[in-house]
C-alpha cells in the first residue's frame, strides 16, 4: 500500500492488519507516525504491567508510566518481556512461556539476575552474613586448637584456653589471661522487620524487596538500615 505512506495518517495498523509502515525503511510512514504512540493494544498502556517493545518508548510515555520503575532499576535491560523480570521464576536461556520457547536470558547483571529470581545461581552483590559450614578453599595459616560451632566475626587477638560457644560481639582491648566460664552477655541478633508497611506512598514487604537487586543502594536510598538490619548487613 505505497499510497498510504505520507498520507497524513499513521497507519501502523490498518483495518486490524499490521502494515509495518512505522519503520525507518518507510520513513515511519512518511513522517505520519513521528512522535505518535501507536501500539497493537492501547488498553495495555497504564495497566500496572510493564510491557516492552513499542509500549516502553518515550512516545508512549514508557507504557503509560508502567515501565518507569523498571527502566530506573534496569536501564540496560532491553527486553520485550519486562514483566517477567522479578516474577519469582528464574528465566534463563531457552524457557517456555505460555507454550512458546523464548530464547532470552534474564540471568545477567543488566537485568538484576532476573530481578533477583536467579540470585541462587549467581553471585550476590554483598557477601553473606551467614557463614557456610563447609571449610574454605584456602586453609588458615593459624588454625585454632579446636573449632567453634560457628566462626566468630570478631576473632580475639590471642586464643583462649577453650573456645567460646557464644563469641562476644567485639573483642576487649587486651585478652584476659583467666577467661570466665560464662560470657557476660549474649550477642544481639540482627533482625528484619516482617510484613508490609508504607514508605513514601509505597506499600510492600520492604526487607524482601531490597534483596532482589541493588541491596546496598536500596538500604541507603529508602533508609531501611534499622527496619532491615540483617539484609542491610548492620552491626547490631
Amino acid at each position: 500500500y505505497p499510497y498510504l505512506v505520507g498520507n497524513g495518517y499513521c497507519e501502523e495498523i490498518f483495518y486490524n492488519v499490521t502494515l509495518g509502515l512505522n519503520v525507518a525503511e518507510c520513513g515511519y510512514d512518511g513522517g505520519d507516525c513521528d512522535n505518535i504512540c501507536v501500539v497493537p493494544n492501547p488498553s495495555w498502556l497504564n495497566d500496572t504491567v510493564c510491557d516492552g517493545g513499542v509500549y516502553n518508548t518515550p512516545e508512549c510515555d514508557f507504557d503509560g508510566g508502567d515501565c518507569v520503575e523498571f527502566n530506573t532499576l534496569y536501564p540496560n535491560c532491553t527486553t520485550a518481556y519486562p514483566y517477567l523480570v522479578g516474577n519469582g521464576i528464574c528465566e534463563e536461556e531457552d524457557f517456555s512461556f505460555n507454550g512458546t520457547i523464548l530464547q532470552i536470558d534474564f540471568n545477567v547483571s543488566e537485568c538484576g539476575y532476573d530481578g533477583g529470581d536467579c540470585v541462587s545461581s549467581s553471585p550476590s552483590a554483598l557477601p553473606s552474613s551467614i557463614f557456610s559450614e563447609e571449610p574454605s578453599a584456602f586453609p588458615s595459616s593459624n588454625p585454632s586448637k579446636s573449632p567453634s560451632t560457628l566462626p566468630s566475626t570478631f576473632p580475639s587477638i590471642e586464643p583462649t584456653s577453650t573456645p567460646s560457644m557464644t563469641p562476644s560481639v567485639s573483642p576487649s582491648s587486651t585478652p584476659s589471661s583467666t577467661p570466665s566460664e560464662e560470657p557476660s552477655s549474649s550477642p544481639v541478633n540482627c533482625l528484619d522487620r516482617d510484613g508490609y508497611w508504607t514508605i513514601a506512598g509505597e506499600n510492600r514487604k520492604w526487607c524482601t524487596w531490597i534483596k532482589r537487586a541493588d541491596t546496598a543502594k536500596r538500604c541507603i536510598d529508602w533508609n531501611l538500615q534499622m527496619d532491615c538490619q540483617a539484609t542491610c548487613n548492620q552491626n547490631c
Side-chain angles (χ1 to χ4, degrees):
Y1 307 96
Y3 55 88
L4 296 178
V5 177
N7 67 344
Y9 298 95
C10 179
E11 282 116 353
E12 171 65 13
I13 301 175
F14 186 69
Y15 287 102
N16 294 323
V17 176
T18 301
L19 302 180
L21 300 180
N22 188 20
V23 293
E25 292 79 2
C26 297
Y28 301 104
D29 197 11
D32 294 338
C33 293
D34 287 346
N35 301 319
I36 296 177
C37 179
V38 180
V39 293
N41 296 290
S43 63
W44 290 7
L45 298 170
N46 193 25
D47 64 348
T48 72
V49 177
C50 177
D51 302 291
V54 295
Y55 297 89
N56 190 13
T57 59
E59 291 79 11
C60 293
D61 194 23
F62 303 107
D63 197 19
D66 294 336
C67 293
V68 172
E69 182 178 8
F70 176 86
N71 294 339
T72 301
L73 293 175
Y74 316 111
N76 298 317
C77 181
T78 303
T79 173
Y81 309 96
Y83 49 84
L84 295 179
V85 176
N87 67 343
I89 301 173
C90 178
E91 286 103 357
E92 56 182 338
E93 299 180 355
D94 298 345
F95 62 93
S96 176
F97 179 68
N98 290 341
T100 302
I101 300 298
L102 303 179
Q103 295 180 337
I104 299 175
D105 187 1
F106 292 137
N107 189 16
V108 293
S109 59
E110 291 82 0
C111 298
Y113 302 107
D114 198 9
D117 295 336
C118 298
V119 292
S120 60
S121 59
S122 303
S124 62
L126 296 175
S128 173
S129 59
I130 302 175
F131 295 92
S132 64
E133 295 181 1
E134 297 296 327
S136 64
F138 301 98
S140 171
S141 59
N142 296 302
S144 61
K145 295 180 180 179
S146 58
S148 60
T149 56
L150 290 176
S152 171
T153 57
F154 299 98
S156 60
I157 299 175
E158 295 293 336
T160 59
S161 57
T162 57
S164 171
M165 298 298 293
T166 54
S168 61
V169 177
S170 58
S172 60
S173 57
T174 55
S176 172
S177 58
T178 55
S180 61
E181 296 181 359
E182 297 293 334
S184 57
S185 61
S186 299
V188 179
N189 295 325
C190 290
L191 299 175
D192 280 353
R193 180 175 174 179
D194 192 20
Y196 289 82
W197 73 93
T198 301
I199 300 177
E202 296 285 344
N203 184 265
R204 55 170 57 131
K205 288 185 176 181
W206 289 95
C207 295
T208 300
W209 177 74
I210 62 177
K211 292 178 182 178
R212 292 184 173 180
D214 300 327
T215 301
K217 185 175 184 299
R218 289 183 175 184
C219 285
I220 297 172
D221 290 349
W222 293 91
N223 195 22
L224 294 169
Q225 293 93 334
M226 294 303 297
D227 289 314
C228 306
Q229 296 173 350
T231 300
C232 292
N233 200 24
Q234 297 297 297
N235 294 323
C236 301

